[in-house]
Amino acid sequence: MFHAFFRSIFWVLPLFLVLPPVNSSSCAMGNRTTEIRVKYENILSPDINELVNMSAEYRDRCCKNKKHENAKVFFCNDTQEIESLQSMACNMLKFFNKQKISKDFRWKAAIVSCGTLQVLQCKCERNRKEKVCTEVNTHNKEDTETGEHSKKKCNQEFCELKENISSLRSCWNKFAKIISR
Amino acid sequence: MTCTWGSRETLTTNFSLYYWYENRSPVVECKHYLQDQGVSVGCRFNQSEIVQFQPFRVRVNASLDGKTLEIPSERMELQDLVKPEAPVNLTIHNLSSNQLQLTWSSPYPKAQCLEHAVKYKSNKDTTWTEHKVKGEIFSFPSVDYEKYYTFYVRSKINSYCGSTQLWSEWSVPVVWGNNATSEGTAEEQLHWFWIHTVLIPITSCLLLLVLVILLVRMERVWVIFMPRIPNPSKNFDELFITHKGNFQEWTGVPKDVVESFKPNYNESVCYVSELPPKESYEPFWGSTDQLLAVPGASAGTREHGPHKNSYVGA
């Protein structure tokens, strides 16, 4: 009787059925398709192209045939483009403090990540976005490295960042094609 | 989509192609090879086999003497390799105040990922003018009704949907201009072409030829342009041939006149010298045969005057 009392009061089992764990998006998409498209075309797209060009200038011979543990981050899932972009942008923010990567490069990558999250109005876990994007938006990058010194040696983190950038650009291309209908 | 790796002339062995999408699909062999006289030169992909916005990789295997050589490709994004079809249905609309509007349509149902380029030229221009256009309308602000315009359009995937430099082929052209003007202009141009290229050169050559013939045949005309250099030798033929250089005989001078010029006497030489303008008389030195004594002159040697002896003879 005691067990029956608690079950009837708390409805644990029905609650499990009604409230399944759902990965809800932390992005406020709403009905903002046009706004997102305009911001992407006029503001974000030039920055993404510039980042891709910077990425192409760096040596990446050590990156061939490398398989990354976090490979699923680089997926742009069908019908889940916004979530994929959020995941890629949040993942890219973690490279902001990697000293093995050129400062110019990781600063530009952070700008693109923050821009993506801002346009889509998304958040990242552990307040990573707030920590990095506040610094990017408020502080000017100090030019402490010359052009030659900034092209540091190829390493695993650099390879992962390059792939992250490529996936982010492709996912934005895919999303732009969808929202341009 | 087609992927090619050579031609019948360049390939010495057989190739096989394998492809996959990174982290998405297993490695699959090409299902539709392109053949050229029994040799595989490429692979054709159906629409169902194409996935854009996913990293695409290819590996071509070459079989040679029992050994297999693998040739991997770089990672590719297929949306960056799209070459669209050319636009169609180019149409020109006349707007007010000398303005034209060119419109076209894309063969694709959804063309928002395309950007376009328009090139045009009039019959008076030597080079094409090109403009990039985002939509499917191009406005030509000021048109000259005396000219004849030709328009072309082509398309490309824009930078928002991909990163490619692959433009489509140029479309079928559309023209605008006054039909009569254009035809008349063409006839006039043909007319002037025949005049400038054929008639004038031939006429000039014929005229030149006539002049040359006249010059050669009519000496009176030739002498005006090329006067003869006087040659007096004929006048002296009689002197040198008949009279053998005897000028007097040729001129007809009488013999007695000729004789009169010959001298018939001899004169002795008379040496003359200048006397110094002094009171003392000095011996006058004449020839060695004669010595004139002058009063007041002393015997002995005398200095010669400052003047040289002068010789006077006849």
Side-chain angles (χ1 to χ4, degrees), chain A residues 70-101:
Chain A
N70 208 11
K72 64 179 180 181
V73 173
F74 308 131
F75 265 19
C76 189
N77 297 320
D78 295 340
T79 70
Q80 293 183 329
E81 288 80 13
I82 293 179
E83 289 77 12
S84 301
L85 284 169
Q86 175 196 18
S87 174
M88 291 175 191
C90 290
N91 188 69
M92 225 154 81
L93 287 177
K94 76 178 184 187
F95 295 99
F96 183 68
N97 292 314
K98 301 291 183 183
Q99 300 300 319
K100 287 186 180 178
I101 300 174

PDB file of all heavy atoms in Angstrom, chain A residues 70-101:
ATOM      1  N   ASN A  70      37.005  13.351 -32.224  1.00  0.00           N
ATOM      2  CA  ASN A  70      35.764  14.099 -32.136  1.00  0.00           C
ATOM      3  C   ASN A  70      35.135  14.281 -33.512  1.00  0.00           C
ATOM      4  O   ASN A  70      34.594  15.324 -33.810  1.00  0.00           O
ATOM      5  CB  ASN A  70      36.067  15.465 -31.509  1.00  0.00           C
ATOM      6  CG  ASN A  70      34.862  16.002 -30.775  1.00  0.00           C
ATOM      7  OD1 ASN A  70      33.890  15.298 -30.550  1.00  0.00           O
ATOM      8  ND2 ASN A  70      34.908  17.277 -30.443  1.00  0.00           N
ATOM      9  N   ALA A  71      35.229  13.259 -34.360  1.00  0.00           N
ATOM     10  CA  ALA A  71      34.853  13.401 -35.766  1.00  0.00           C
ATOM     11  C   ALA A  71      33.394  13.756 -35.953  1.00  0.00           C
ATOM     12  O   ALA A  71      33.022  14.430 -36.913  1.00  0.00           O
ATOM     13  CB  ALA A  71      35.182  12.120 -36.518  1.00  0.00           C
ATOM     14  N   LYS A  72      32.524  13.314 -35.056  1.00  0.00           N
ATOM     15  CA  LYS A  72      31.098  13.557 -35.257  1.00  0.00           C
ATOM     16  C   LYS A  72      30.752  15.037 -35.144  1.00  0.00           C
ATOM     17  O   LYS A  72      29.698  15.475 -35.574  1.00  0.00           O
ATOM     18  CB  LYS A  72      30.278  12.742 -34.268  1.00  0.00           C
ATOM     19  CG  LYS A  72      30.486  13.115 -32.817  1.00  0.00           C
ATOM     20  CD  LYS A  72      29.610  12.258 -31.924  1.00  0.00           C
ATOM     21  CE  LYS A  72      29.810  12.620 -30.463  1.00  0.00           C
ATOM     22  NZ  LYS A  72      28.983  11.770 -29.582  1.00  0.00           N
ATOM     23  N   VAL A  73      31.651  15.813 -34.532  1.00  0.00           N
ATOM     24  CA  VAL A  73      31.420  17.254 -34.455  1.00  0.00           C
ATOM     25  C   VAL A  73      31.399  17.857 -35.853  1.00  0.00           C
ATOM     26  O   VAL A  73      30.743  18.864 -36.095  1.00  0.00           O
ATOM     27  CB  VAL A  73      32.532  17.914 -33.604  1.00  0.00           C
ATOM     28  CG1 VAL A  73      32.416  19.420 -33.657  1.00  0.00           C
ATOM     29  CG2 VAL A  73      32.455  17.423 -32.181  1.00  0.00           C
ATOM     30  N   PHE A  74      32.111  17.235 -36.780  1.00  0.00           N
ATOM     31  CA  PHE A  74      32.244  17.810 -38.107  1.00  0.00           C
ATOM     32  C   PHE A  74      31.123  17.396 -39.046  1.00  0.00           C
ATOM     33  O   PHE A  74      31.188  17.672 -40.236  1.00  0.00           O
ATOM     34  CB  PHE A  74      33.596  17.403 -38.712  1.00  0.00           C
ATOM     35  CG  PHE A  74      34.768  17.691 -37.814  1.00  0.00           C
ATOM     36  CD1 PHE A  74      35.716  16.732 -37.558  1.00  0.00           C
ATOM     37  CD2 PHE A  74      34.882  18.931 -37.204  1.00  0.00           C
ATOM     38  CE1 PHE A  74      36.785  17.008 -36.713  1.00  0.00           C
ATOM     39  CE2 PHE A  74      35.947  19.208 -36.368  1.00  0.00           C
ATOM     40  CZ  PHE A  74      36.903  18.245 -36.113  1.00  0.00           C
ATOM     41  N   PHE A  75      30.126  16.741 -38.548  1.00  0.00           N
ATOM     42  CA  PHE A  75      28.967  16.361 -39.355  1.00  0.00           C
ATOM     43  C   PHE A  75      28.011  17.529 -39.465  1.00  0.00           C
ATOM     44  O   PHE A  75      27.763  18.221 -38.484  1.00  0.00           O
ATOM     45  CB  PHE A  75      28.233  15.211 -38.692  1.00  0.00           C
ATOM     46  CG  PHE A  75      28.639  13.877 -39.199  1.00  0.00           C
ATOM     47  CD1 PHE A  75      29.824  13.695 -39.866  1.00  0.00           C
ATOM     48  CD2 PHE A  75      27.825  12.784 -38.995  1.00  0.00           C
ATOM     49  CE1 PHE A  75      30.213  12.458 -40.314  1.00  0.00           C
ATOM     50  CE2 PHE A  75      28.198  11.537 -39.439  1.00  0.00           C
ATOM     51  CZ  PHE A  75      29.390  11.358 -40.103  1.00  0.00           C
ATOM     52  N   CYS A  76      27.451  17.711 -40.675  1.00  0.00           N
ATOM     53  CA  CYS A  76      26.371  18.676 -40.847  1.00  0.00           C
ATOM     54  C   CYS A  76      25.130  17.850 -41.146  1.00  0.00           C
ATOM     55  O   CYS A  76      24.854  17.508 -42.296  1.00  0.00           O
ATOM     56  CB  CYS A  76      26.674  19.648 -41.988  1.00  0.00           C
ATOM     57  SG  CYS A  76      25.519  21.027 -42.099  1.00  0.00           S
ATOM     58  N   ASN A  77      24.432  17.499 -40.098  1.00  0.00           N
ATOM     59  CA  ASN A  77      23.328  16.536 -40.235  1.00  0.00           C
ATOM     60  C   ASN A  77      22.167  17.138 -41.004  1.00  0.00           C
ATOM     61  O   ASN A  77      21.828  18.325 -40.841  1.00  0.00           O
ATOM     62  CB  ASN A  77      22.861  16.099 -38.847  1.00  0.00           C
ATOM     63  CG  ASN A  77      23.946  15.369 -38.094  1.00  0.00           C
ATOM     64  OD1 ASN A  77      24.680  14.578 -38.677  1.00  0.00           O
ATOM     65  ND2 ASN A  77      24.072  15.650 -36.807  1.00  0.00           N
ATOM     66  N   ASP A  78      21.566  16.312 -41.815  1.00  0.00           N
ATOM     67  CA  ASP A  78      20.377  16.756 -42.555  1.00  0.00           C
ATOM     68  C   ASP A  78      19.271  17.124 -41.586  1.00  0.00           C
ATOM     69  O   ASP A  78      19.053  16.427 -40.586  1.00  0.00           O
ATOM     70  CB  ASP A  78      19.898  15.625 -43.485  1.00  0.00           C
ATOM     71  CG  ASP A  78      20.928  15.317 -44.563  1.00  0.00           C
ATOM     72  OD1 ASP A  78      21.788  16.193 -44.816  1.00  0.00           O
ATOM     73  OD2 ASP A  78      20.879  14.215 -45.132  1.00  0.00           O
ATOM     74  N   THR A  79      18.594  18.188 -41.838  1.00  0.00           N
ATOM     75  CA  THR A  79      17.490  18.764 -41.042  1.00  0.00           C
ATOM     76  C   THR A  79      17.960  19.258 -39.677  1.00  0.00           C
ATOM     77  O   THR A  79      17.161  19.712 -38.869  1.00  0.00           O
ATOM     78  CB  THR A  79      16.334  17.759 -40.839  1.00  0.00           C
ATOM     79  OG1 THR A  79      16.758  16.712 -39.954  1.00  0.00           O
ATOM     80  CG2 THR A  79      15.862  17.187 -42.158  1.00  0.00           C
ATOM     81  N   GLN A  80      19.232  19.166 -39.406  1.00  0.00           N
ATOM     82  CA  GLN A  80      19.760  19.669 -38.132  1.00  0.00           C
ATOM     83  C   GLN A  80      20.981  20.565 -38.375  1.00  0.00           C
ATOM     84  O   GLN A  80      21.998  20.481 -37.671  1.00  0.00           O
ATOM     85  CB  GLN A  80      20.142  18.500 -37.218  1.00  0.00           C
ATOM     86  CG  GLN A  80      18.941  17.686 -36.749  1.00  0.00           C
ATOM     87  CD  GLN A  80      19.341  16.589 -35.783  1.00  0.00           C
ATOM     88  OE1 GLN A  80      20.452  16.053 -35.885  1.00  0.00           O
ATOM     89  NE2 GLN A  80      18.461  16.232 -34.865  1.00  0.00           N
ATOM     90  N   GLU A  81      20.843  21.405 -39.375  1.00  0.00           N
ATOM     91  CA  GLU A  81      21.984  22.241 -39.746  1.00  0.00           C
ATOM     92  C   GLU A  81      22.326  23.239 -38.639  1.00  0.00           C
ATOM     93  O   GLU A  81      23.506  23.491 -38.361  1.00  0.00           O
ATOM     94  CB  GLU A  81      21.686  22.992 -41.053  1.00  0.00           C
ATOM     95  CG  GLU A  81      21.683  22.104 -42.291  1.00  0.00           C
ATOM     96  CD  GLU A  81      20.384  21.335 -42.465  1.00  0.00           C
ATOM     97  OE1 GLU A  81      19.404  21.676 -41.774  1.00  0.00           O
ATOM     98  OE2 GLU A  81      20.339  20.404 -43.293  1.00  0.00           O
ATOM     99  N   ILE A  82      21.325  23.800 -38.015  1.00  0.00           N
ATOM    100  CA  ILE A  82      21.594  24.796 -36.977  1.00  0.00           C
ATOM    101  C   ILE A  82      22.317  24.151 -35.798  1.00  0.00           C
ATOM    102  O   ILE A  82      23.304  24.703 -35.278  1.00  0.00           O
ATOM    103  CB  ILE A  82      20.284  25.469 -36.513  1.00  0.00           C
ATOM    104  CG1 ILE A  82      19.722  26.301 -37.671  1.00  0.00           C
ATOM    105  CG2 ILE A  82      20.513  26.341 -35.281  1.00  0.00           C
ATOM    106  CD1 ILE A  82      18.423  26.987 -37.354  1.00  0.00           C
ATOM    107  N   GLU A  83      21.850  22.998 -35.409  1.00  0.00           N
ATOM    108  CA  GLU A  83      22.514  22.317 -34.287  1.00  0.00           C
ATOM    109  C   GLU A  83      23.947  21.937 -34.654  1.00  0.00           C
ATOM    110  O   GLU A  83      24.863  22.006 -33.818  1.00  0.00           O
ATOM    111  CB  GLU A  83      21.737  21.062 -33.893  1.00  0.00           C
ATOM    112  CG  GLU A  83      20.398  21.328 -33.210  1.00  0.00           C
ATOM    113  CD  GLU A  83      19.298  21.752 -34.161  1.00  0.00           C
ATOM    114  OE1 GLU A  83      19.476  21.633 -35.407  1.00  0.00           O
ATOM    115  OE2 GLU A  83      18.242  22.207 -33.688  1.00  0.00           O
ATOM    116  N   SER A  84      24.122  21.524 -35.899  1.00  0.00           N
ATOM    117  CA  SER A  84      25.468  21.166 -36.356  1.00  0.00           C
ATOM    118  C   SER A  84      26.379  22.389 -36.347  1.00  0.00           C
ATOM    119  O   SER A  84      27.537  22.314 -35.903  1.00  0.00           O
ATOM    120  CB  SER A  84      25.415  20.570 -37.767  1.00  0.00           C
ATOM    121  OG  SER A  84      24.600  19.412 -37.798  1.00  0.00           O
ATOM    122  N   LEU A  85      25.843  23.522 -36.803  1.00  0.00           N
ATOM    123  CA  LEU A  85      26.643  24.746 -36.798  1.00  0.00           C
ATOM    124  C   LEU A  85      26.987  25.167 -35.370  1.00  0.00           C
ATOM    125  O   LEU A  85      28.105  25.610 -35.093  1.00  0.00           O
ATOM    126  CB  LEU A  85      25.872  25.870 -37.505  1.00  0.00           C
ATOM    127  CG  LEU A  85      25.837  25.795 -39.036  1.00  0.00           C
ATOM    128  CD1 LEU A  85      24.826  26.785 -39.596  1.00  0.00           C
ATOM    129  CD2 LEU A  85      27.204  26.053 -39.618  1.00  0.00           C
ATOM    130  N   GLN A  86      26.019  25.021 -34.493  1.00  0.00           N
ATOM    131  CA  GLN A  86      26.277  25.351 -33.087  1.00  0.00           C
ATOM    132  C   GLN A  86      27.392  24.475 -32.538  1.00  0.00           C
ATOM    133  O   GLN A  86      28.315  24.956 -31.877  1.00  0.00           O
ATOM    134  CB  GLN A  86      24.999  25.160 -32.271  1.00  0.00           C
ATOM    135  CG  GLN A  86      25.181  25.369 -30.785  1.00  0.00           C
ATOM    136  CD  GLN A  86      24.027  24.817 -29.971  1.00  0.00           C
ATOM    137  OE1 GLN A  86      23.246  23.994 -30.453  1.00  0.00           O
ATOM    138  NE2 GLN A  86      23.909  25.246 -28.726  1.00  0.00           N
ATOM    139  N   SER A  87      27.296  23.181 -32.814  1.00  0.00           N
ATOM    140  CA  SER A  87      28.288  22.246 -32.310  1.00  0.00           C
ATOM    141  C   SER A  87      29.678  22.581 -32.857  1.00  0.00           C
ATOM    142  O   SER A  87      30.669  22.583 -32.119  1.00  0.00           O
ATOM    143  CB  SER A  87      27.877  20.823 -32.705  1.00  0.00           C
ATOM    144  OG  SER A  87      28.863  19.899 -32.354  1.00  0.00           O
ATOM    145  N   MET A  88      29.729  22.878 -34.148  1.00  0.00           N
ATOM    146  CA  MET A  88      31.030  23.200 -34.760  1.00  0.00           C
ATOM    147  C   MET A  88      31.592  24.497 -34.190  1.00  0.00           C
ATOM    148  O   MET A  88      32.794  24.592 -33.898  1.00  0.00           O
ATOM    149  CB  MET A  88      30.868  23.338 -36.278  1.00  0.00           C
ATOM    150  CG  MET A  88      30.568  22.042 -36.989  1.00  0.00           C
ATOM    151  SD  MET A  88      30.265  22.346 -38.721  1.00  0.00           S
ATOM    152  CE  MET A  88      29.631  20.786 -39.247  1.00  0.00           C
ATOM    153  N   ALA A  89      30.742  25.505 -34.051  1.00  0.00           N
ATOM    154  CA  ALA A  89      31.213  26.800 -33.548  1.00  0.00           C
ATOM    155  C   ALA A  89      31.692  26.686 -32.108  1.00  0.00           C
ATOM    156  O   ALA A  89      32.732  27.235 -31.735  1.00  0.00           O
ATOM    157  CB  ALA A  89      30.097  27.835 -33.671  1.00  0.00           C
ATOM    158  N   CYS A  90      30.952  25.985 -31.280  1.00  0.00           N
ATOM    159  CA  CYS A  90      31.361  25.805 -29.876  1.00  0.00           C
ATOM    160  C   CYS A  90      32.663  25.010 -29.788  1.00  0.00           C
ATOM    161  O   CYS A  90      33.542  25.329 -28.978  1.00  0.00           O
ATOM    162  CB  CYS A  90      30.259  25.096 -29.090  1.00  0.00           C
ATOM    163  SG  CYS A  90      28.770  26.112 -28.830  1.00  0.00           S
ATOM    164  N   ASN A  91      32.798  23.994 -30.638  1.00  0.00           N
ATOM    165  CA  ASN A  91      34.023  23.205 -30.628  1.00  0.00           C
ATOM    166  C   ASN A  91      35.228  24.051 -31.053  1.00  0.00           C
ATOM    167  O   ASN A  91      36.334  23.881 -30.553  1.00  0.00           O
ATOM    168  CB  ASN A  91      33.869  22.000 -31.557  1.00  0.00           C
ATOM    169  CG  ASN A  91      35.024  21.027 -31.468  1.00  0.00           C
ATOM    170  OD1 ASN A  91      35.199  20.350 -30.450  1.00  0.00           O
ATOM    171  ND2 ASN A  91      35.828  20.957 -32.507  1.00  0.00           N
ATOM    172  N   MET A  92      34.984  24.973 -31.988  1.00  0.00           N
ATOM    173  CA  MET A  92      36.076  25.792 -32.503  1.00  0.00           C
ATOM    174  C   MET A  92      36.585  26.769 -31.450  1.00  0.00           C
ATOM    175  O   MET A  92      37.739  27.202 -31.490  1.00  0.00           O
ATOM    176  CB  MET A  92      35.601  26.555 -33.739  1.00  0.00           C
ATOM    177  CG  MET A  92      36.586  26.526 -34.890  1.00  0.00           C
ATOM    178  SD  MET A  92      35.831  26.736 -36.486  1.00  0.00           S
ATOM    179  CE  MET A  92      35.639  28.496 -36.538  1.00  0.00           C
ATOM    180  N   LEU A  93      35.722  27.117 -30.485  1.00  0.00           N
ATOM    181  CA  LEU A  93      36.135  28.069 -29.466  1.00  0.00           C
ATOM    182  C   LEU A  93      37.226  27.498 -28.566  1.00  0.00           C
ATOM    183  O   LEU A  93      38.007  28.253 -27.978  1.00  0.00           O
ATOM    184  CB  LEU A  93      34.932  28.479 -28.609  1.00  0.00           C
ATOM    185  CG  LEU A  93      33.913  29.415 -29.277  1.00  0.00           C
ATOM    186  CD1 LEU A  93      32.739  29.664 -28.343  1.00  0.00           C
ATOM    187  CD2 LEU A  93      34.551  30.723 -29.684  1.00  0.00           C
ATOM    188  N   LYS A  94      37.296  26.203 -28.466  1.00  0.00           N
ATOM    189  CA  LYS A  94      38.281  25.611 -27.558  1.00  0.00           C
ATOM    190  C   LYS A  94      39.714  25.810 -28.065  1.00  0.00           C
ATOM    191  O   LYS A  94      40.666  25.630 -27.316  1.00  0.00           O
ATOM    192  CB  LYS A  94      37.988  24.124 -27.352  1.00  0.00           C
ATOM    193  CG  LYS A  94      38.382  23.243 -28.512  1.00  0.00           C
ATOM    194  CD  LYS A  94      38.097  21.774 -28.212  1.00  0.00           C
ATOM    195  CE  LYS A  94      38.602  20.919 -29.365  1.00  0.00           C
ATOM    196  NZ  LYS A  94      38.210  19.498 -29.217  1.00  0.00           N
ATOM    197  N   PHE A  95      39.879  26.161 -29.334  1.00  0.00           N
ATOM    198  CA  PHE A  95      41.221  26.363 -29.884  1.00  0.00           C
ATOM    199  C   PHE A  95      41.746  27.766 -29.591  1.00  0.00           C
ATOM    200  O   PHE A  95      42.890  28.073 -29.923  1.00  0.00           O
ATOM    201  CB  PHE A  95      41.214  26.148 -31.402  1.00  0.00           C
ATOM    202  CG  PHE A  95      40.888  24.741 -31.807  1.00  0.00           C
ATOM    203  CD1 PHE A  95      39.607  24.398 -32.212  1.00  0.00           C
ATOM    204  CD2 PHE A  95      41.854  23.748 -31.767  1.00  0.00           C
ATOM    205  CE1 PHE A  95      39.293  23.103 -32.574  1.00  0.00           C
ATOM    206  CE2 PHE A  95      41.544  22.447 -32.127  1.00  0.00           C
ATOM    207  CZ  PHE A  95      40.261  22.120 -32.533  1.00  0.00           C
ATOM    208  N   PHE A  96      40.928  28.622 -28.996  1.00  0.00           N
ATOM    209  CA  PHE A  96      41.311  30.013 -28.804  1.00  0.00           C
ATOM    210  C   PHE A  96      42.540  30.149 -27.918  1.00  0.00           C
ATOM    211  O   PHE A  96      43.353  31.052 -28.102  1.00  0.00           O
ATOM    212  CB  PHE A  96      40.140  30.783 -28.208  1.00  0.00           C
ATOM    213  CG  PHE A  96      40.400  32.248 -28.029  1.00  0.00           C
ATOM    214  CD1 PHE A  96      40.538  33.083 -29.130  1.00  0.00           C
ATOM    215  CD2 PHE A  96      40.520  32.799 -26.757  1.00  0.00           C
ATOM    216  CE1 PHE A  96      40.791  34.439 -28.970  1.00  0.00           C
ATOM    217  CE2 PHE A  96      40.765  34.153 -26.592  1.00  0.00           C
ATOM    218  CZ  PHE A  96      40.897  34.979 -27.702  1.00  0.00           C
ATOM    219  N   ASN A  97      42.711  29.230 -26.971  1.00  0.00           N
ATOM    220  CA  ASN A  97      43.836  29.330 -26.045  1.00  0.00           C
ATOM    221  C   ASN A  97      44.939  28.322 -26.335  1.00  0.00           C
ATOM    222  O   ASN A  97      45.823  28.108 -25.504  1.00  0.00           O
ATOM    223  CB  ASN A  97      43.337  29.141 -24.608  1.00  0.00           C
ATOM    224  CG  ASN A  97      42.456  30.296 -24.165  1.00  0.00           C
ATOM    225  OD1 ASN A  97      42.796  31.465 -24.385  1.00  0.00           O
ATOM    226  ND2 ASN A  97      41.307  29.987 -23.569  1.00  0.00           N
ATOM    227  N   LYS A  98      44.908  27.693 -27.488  1.00  0.00           N
ATOM    228  CA  LYS A  98      45.943  26.706 -27.838  1.00  0.00           C
ATOM    229  C   LYS A  98      47.165  27.445 -28.356  1.00  0.00           C
ATOM    230  O   LYS A  98      47.183  27.960 -29.470  1.00  0.00           O
ATOM    231  CB  LYS A  98      45.416  25.736 -28.908  1.00  0.00           C
ATOM    232  CG  LYS A  98      44.170  24.965 -28.497  1.00  0.00           C
ATOM    233  CD  LYS A  98      44.462  23.977 -27.418  1.00  0.00           C
ATOM    234  CE  LYS A  98      43.194  23.177 -27.093  1.00  0.00           C
ATOM    235  NZ  LYS A  98      43.408  22.237 -25.980  1.00  0.00           N
ATOM    236  N   GLN A  99      48.214  27.459 -27.561  1.00  0.00           N
ATOM    237  CA  GLN A  99      49.398  28.243 -27.901  1.00  0.00           C
ATOM    238  C   GLN A  99      50.179  27.671 -29.074  1.00  0.00           C
ATOM    239  O   GLN A  99      50.983  28.380 -29.682  1.00  0.00           O
ATOM    240  CB  GLN A  99      50.316  28.340 -26.672  1.00  0.00           C
ATOM    241  CG  GLN A  99      49.666  28.996 -25.465  1.00  0.00           C
ATOM    242  CD  GLN A  99      49.230  30.428 -25.760  1.00  0.00           C
ATOM    243  OE1 GLN A  99      49.936  31.183 -26.408  1.00  0.00           O
ATOM    244  NE2 GLN A  99      48.037  30.781 -25.297  1.00  0.00           N
ATOM    245  N   LYS A 100      49.967  26.406 -29.394  1.00  0.00           N
ATOM    246  CA  LYS A 100      50.707  25.813 -30.514  1.00  0.00           C
ATOM    247  C   LYS A 100      50.202  26.312 -31.864  1.00  0.00           C
ATOM    248  O   LYS A 100      50.825  26.091 -32.901  1.00  0.00           O
ATOM    249  CB  LYS A 100      50.587  24.295 -30.477  1.00  0.00           C
ATOM    250  CG  LYS A 100      51.395  23.642 -29.369  1.00  0.00           C
ATOM    251  CD  LYS A 100      51.319  22.119 -29.502  1.00  0.00           C
ATOM    252  CE  LYS A 100      52.123  21.448 -28.413  1.00  0.00           C
ATOM    253  NZ  LYS A 100      52.024  19.968 -28.502  1.00  0.00           N
ATOM    254  N   ILE A 101      49.057  26.973 -31.850  1.00  0.00           N
ATOM    255  CA  ILE A 101      48.475  27.479 -33.098  1.00  0.00           C
ATOM    256  C   ILE A 101      48.729  28.981 -33.182  1.00  0.00           C
ATOM    257  O   ILE A 101      48.705  29.685 -32.158  1.00  0.00           O
ATOM    258  CB  ILE A 101      46.959  27.199 -33.149  1.00  0.00           C
ATOM    259  CG1 ILE A 101      46.711  25.694 -33.062  1.00  0.00           C
ATOM    260  CG2 ILE A 101      46.327  27.747 -34.428  1.00  0.00           C
ATOM    261  CD1 ILE A 101      45.244  25.325 -32.970  1.00  0.00           C
TER     262      ILE A 101
END
